[in-house]
Coordinates of all heavy atoms in Angstrom, one line a residue:
S28 N 21.1 12.7 -17.3 CA 22.2 13.3 -16.7 C 22.1 13.0 -15.1 O 23.0 12.8 -14.4 CB 22.4 14.8 -16.9 OG 21.3 15.5 -16.4
A68 N 4.9 1.6 13.1 CA 4.9 2.9 12.3 C 6.3 3.1 11.8 O 7.3 3.1 12.5 CB 4.6 4.0 13.2
V77 N 3.0 -2.9 9.2 CA 2.8 -4.2 9.9 C 4.0 -4.9 9.8 O 4.6 -5.0 8.7 CB 1.5 -4.8 9.3 CG1 1.7 -5.3 7.9 CG2 1.1 -6.1 10.1
A131 N 4.9 -12.8 -1.2 CA 5.6 -12.5 -2.5 C 6.1 -11.1 -2.6 O 5.9 -10.5 -3.6 CB 4.7 -12.8 -3.6
D152 N 19.5 -7.8 14.5 CA 20.8 -7.8 15.2 C 21.0 -9.0 16.1 O 20.1 -9.8 16.1 CB 21.1 -6.4 15.9 CG 20.3 -6.3 17.2 OD1 19.5 -7.3 17.5 OD2 20.2 -5.3 17.9

Side-chain angles (χ1 to χ4, degrees):
S28 67
V77 66
D152 70 11

